[in-house]
């Protein structure tokens, strides 16, 4: 069977900076990121991803420093997309740009209720082993949107309730991996959410990420086939992942950590080889 190549949306960091504080990582970092270094790091990430996937680009916009985090453009399944409606007003001007990118690229868009906060693939992660969508709530996405997502995509939504503001999107502390594995940081979730994860993912497929690795955004990983691209991972995490068949590549993304984001936040899967094959 021919494998379908993934297509991943990225946005160059031409206007990336920390101008406001909308998550705890940004506190004290105003003006701190070095744009030249950020460009270099972003380029390294793009080149690494380009080995395994096609890259699509959305044009960066002046005065929208967080637009580089395309995971928050929306969430995509096949030709259907749901564009984000940001909780922090600072990011709301990004919405029009992402929506027009989706429309120009022939995605069918769902019109969400303007009153509900929803931050796209930051809070929506398709499981890689089962037919359900892990969907976060607690900080940036409201639970009210979950049923709309489920019916639009015709997929079961499994809510995950975030309880630690450092892990404000599920993609900062949870990562479904090929073969039905997940790597995650349990303390970021409430009790019921941990039970939801444990009841769906058997113990040998759960890779637990400790506080130190989670703080280095190890869960914020781009996974394509058995490759995992991540800001950094400790030797014990790399060992756990390699025992499950994964190969880890580290790309230093220190400048983006100052804005509370890392590898996975800088990407949005548009074409997902796994799902095209599952259909
Ligand atoms: N500064 C950005 C924000 O707070 C970072 C977004 C990170 N994105 C993600 N998918 N976790 O919105």
């Amino acid at each position: 069977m021919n494998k379908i190549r993934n297509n991943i949306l990225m946005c160059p960091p031409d206007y990336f900076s920390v101008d406001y504080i909308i998550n705890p990582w940004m506190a004290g970092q105003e003006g701190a990121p070095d744009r030249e270094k950020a460009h270099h790091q972003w380029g390294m990430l793009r080149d690494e991803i380009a080995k395994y996937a096609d890259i699509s680009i959305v044009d960066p916009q002046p005065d929208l420093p967080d637009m580089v985090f395309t995971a928050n453009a929306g969430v995509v399944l096949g030709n259907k997309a749901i564009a984000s409606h940001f909780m922090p007003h600072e990011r709301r001007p990004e919405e029009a740009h992402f929506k027009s990118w989706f429309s120009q690229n022939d995605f069918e868009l769902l019109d969400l209720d303007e009153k509900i906060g929803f931050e796209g693939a930051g809070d929506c992660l398709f499981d890689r082993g089962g037919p359900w969508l892990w969907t976060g709530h607690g900080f940036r996405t409201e639970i009210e949107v979950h049923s709309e997502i489920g019916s639009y995509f015709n997929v079961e939504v499994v809510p995950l309730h975030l309880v630690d503001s450092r892990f404000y999107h599920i993609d900062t502390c949870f990562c479904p991996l090929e073969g039905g594995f997940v790597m995650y940081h349990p303390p970021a979730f409430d009790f019921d959410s941990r039970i939801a994860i444990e009841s769906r993912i058997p113990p040998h497929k759960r890779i637990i990420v400790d506080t130190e690795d989670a703080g280095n955004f190890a869960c914020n990983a781009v996974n394509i086939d058995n490759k995992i691209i991540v800001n950094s991972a400790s030797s014990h995490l790399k060992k756990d992942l390699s025992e499950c068949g994964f190969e880890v590549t580290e790309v230093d993304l220190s400048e983006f950590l100052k804005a509370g984001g890392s590898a996975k936040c800088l990407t949005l899967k548009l074409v997902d080889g796994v799902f095209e094959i599952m259909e």
Side-chain angles (χ1 to χ4, degrees):
M1 192 187 324
N2 270 345
K3 216 159 160 114
I4 290 164
R5 208 166 149 84
N6 287 264
N7 190 336
I8 290 185
L9 181 67
M10 296 183 75
C11 176
D14 298 12
Y15 305 104
F16 172 64
S17 66
V18 175
D19 292 350
Y20 46 73
I21 298 164
I22 54 170
N23 70 56
W25 307 92
M26 299 171 98
Q29 300 288 4
E30 290 108 311
D34 174 333
R35 203 171 277 162
E36 210 174 299
K37 194 167 169 194
H39 250 287
H40 172 75
Q41 294 180 340
W42 185 90
M44 298 291 283
L45 178 67
R46 179 205 48 211
D47 293 351
E48 187 57 34
I49 293 173
K51 294 180 189 166
Y52 316 108
D54 295 329
I55 309 273
S56 294
I57 294 288
V58 53
D59 289 334
Q61 301 294 329
D63 302 321
L64 296 179
D66 274 334
M67 203 174 156
V68 67
F69 297 113
T70 51
N72 304 123
V75 60
V76 172
L77 182 63
N79 72 332
K80 289 181 165 184
I82 310 176
S84 292
H85 179 54
F86 287 93
M87 291 284 263
H89 67 86
E90 290 88 343
R91 292 197 66 182
R92 289 192 192 147
E94 295 176 35
E95 292 169 18
H97 299 287
F98 286 135
K99 276 188 189 157
S100 68
W101 190 91
F102 283 126
S103 310
Q104 281 160 17
N105 288 275
D106 300 327
F107 287 93
E108 178 194 302
L109 271 178
L110 173 69
D111 257 329
L112 276 183
D113 183 335
E114 283 285 297
K115 289 193 284 295
I116 304 178
F118 169 65
E119 298 203 358
D123 272 324
C124 279
L125 298 171
F126 288 98
D127 194 73
R128 320 297 295 176
W132 62 83
L133 179 63
W134 303 100
T135 309
H137 65 107
F139 293 103
R140 300 291 197 81
T141 293
E142 292 176 288
I143 198 162
E144 286 76 5
V145 80
H146 287 199
S147 60
E148 274 194 79
I149 299 171
S151 45
Y152 183 61
F153 285 151
N154 192 23
V155 70
E156 183 190 2
V157 165
V158 182
L160 294 179
H161 190 185
L162 295 165
V163 293
D164 179 335
S165 62
R166 289 171 305 166
F167 304 108
Y168 54 94
H169 286 136
I170 57 168
D171 72 357
T172 62
C173 51
F174 185 86
C175 185
L177 299 171
E178 288 227 17
F181 291 89
V182 300
M183 76 170 151
Y184 72 114
H185 181 54
F189 298 96
D190 75 357
F191 179 78
D192 288 348
S193 307
R194 294 200 301 268
I195 297 293
I197 297 167
E198 288 166 17
S199 65
R200 279 164 195 264
I201 310 293
H204 69 285
K205 297 222 162 176
R206 295 180 218 143
I207 299 161
I208 303 298
V209 174
D210 67 20
T211 307
E212 197 178 339
D213 273 316
N216 288 326
F217 279 76
C219 298
N220 198 244
V222 178
N223 170 221
I224 303 166
D225 303 328
N226 76 328
K227 311 287 179 214
I228 291 182
I229 305 165
V230 76
N231 170 62
S232 104
S234 63
S235 49
H236 56 267
L237 179 57
K238 279 191 234 167
K239 184 166 165 279
D240 290 350
L241 288 166
S242 101
E243 279 166 5
C244 298
F246 296 102
E247 220 176 83
V248 177
T249 303
E250 291 166 294
V251 176
D252 180 12
L253 295 166
S254 60
E255 297 315 290
F256 299 98
L257 261 62
K258 295 173 183 169
S262 176
K264 157 67 175 60
C265 304
L266 294 165
T267 66
L268 176 67
K269 271 190 185 164
L270 297 171
V271 174
D272 193 326
V274 171
F275 297 120
E276 305 290 336
I277 283 168
M278 271 166 31
E279 273 166 14

